[in-house]
Amino acid sequence: MTHDKALVAKKLRKWEGFLQEYELPTWDMLPCIELYMDQVLVLLTQYLNFPPREDGAENITTPAMVNNYVKMKVLPPPVKKRYSRVHLAYLIMVCMLKQTLGISLVQQILPADASEGTVHATYDAFVRMHKSVAAQFAAEVRAAASPALLSEEPADSAVGGLILQSAIAASLFKLLTEKLVSLGDTPEPAPPATGEVNKP
């Protein structure tokens, strides 16, 4: 694979700027009217244009995927084929998280069968956290890209190193997420029976 340093640098600067400007819609920005599937898909494509999608990129999600999320109880079923603000909030979070996490892990992270109030609170926290992490990530992109792209190292070696660095970081963060989620399933140790002494 060959790379053009100038092109990579230009793209990274563009993505960094996009990260700094991009914001997920707040709960109050989501439509409060019920929508049909095609309307939901149009909105998701607008909301999750992150970063701007290249020509020929796969759809953010499809009707079949949404139906599968309902079957898997990742999100509640539609009411008379219509989707509410709760569905949109779930779908935005699912579509963002599934880029790196398996759907079963996403299912463990998001509240299942939650009340609208709980979904609202979870979504608000998600949006705030996304903004904060995106700002940190933009700085990391700038810091990681600069040495590689400004060095005298051949383009393929410099960009290849950046690709490996990104892949390793993604795998380590995925592993950390899995470990943290699994801690929620760890049962508390049983208290000792009467008369027994705790041993270290």
Side-chain angles (χ1 to χ4, degrees):
M1 182 184 303
T2 58
H3 294 94
D4 178 334
K5 269 190 183 182
L7 176 62
V8 172
K10 179 181 174 183
K11 285 283 189 182
L12 287 172
R13 282 192 296 273
K14 181 179 176 183
W15 292 335
E16 179 193 342
F18 187 82
L19 281 167
Q20 291 173 334
E21 297 292 325
Y22 178 81
E23 291 186 16
L24 287 170
T26 63
W27 176 266
D28 292 333
M29 292 168 68
L30 299 177
C32 56
I33 59 170
E34 295 183 333
L35 306 168
Y36 288 107
M37 175 75 80
D38 58 340
Q39 296 169 308
V40 168
L41 297 180
V42 167
L43 282 175
L44 286 175
T45 301
Q46 291 173 4
Y47 293 153
L48 301 178
N49 193 21
F50 174 75
R53 301 172 69 73
E54 304 292 337
D55 290 339
E58 291 181 13
N59 293 330
I60 301 269
T61 193
T62 64
M65 288 180 193
V66 174
N67 290 332
N68 281 337
Y69 300 151
V70 171
K71 286 178 190 172
M72 296 170 68
K73 300 190 176 178
V74 179
L75 72 151
V79 178
K80 296 180 181 177
K81 298 186 178 181
R82 292 187 180 183
Y83 296 83
S84 68
R85 188 185 315 204
V86 167
H87 292 100
L88 273 173
Y90 267 115
L91 283 166
I92 289 168
M93 293 186 288
V94 168
C95 289
M96 293 291 290
L97 294 175
K98 74 170 186 166
Q99 301 303 312
T100 50
L101 305 177
I103 197 66
S104 61
L105 191 57
V106 171
Q107 197 170 15
Q108 293 176 66
I109 293 170
L110 299 180
D113 299 324
S115 68
E116 182 172 331
T118 299
V119 176
H120 182 171
T122 302
Y123 182 74
D124 279 348
F126 185 90
V127 170
R128 285 193 306 273
M129 188 66 66
H130 185 275
K131 184 174 178 62
S132 171
V133 172
Q136 294 171 17
F137 185 71
E140 290 291 329
V141 167
R142 184 170 55 251
S146 295
L149 297 175
L150 296 176
S151 72
E152 296 301 318
E153 195 176 359
D156 290 337
S157 177
V159 177
L162 184 56
I163 290 169
L164 282 177
Q165 182 180 353
S166 300
I168 291 166
S171 67
L172 289 174
F173 275 113
K174 180 177 183 287
L175 180 62
L176 176 62
T177 303
E178 290 169 350
K179 295 295 184 189
L180 290 171
V181 168
S182 72
L183 291 176
D185 297 332
T186 306
E188 290 290 323
T194 308
E196 288 186 14
V197 178
N198 276 337
K199 296 180 182 177

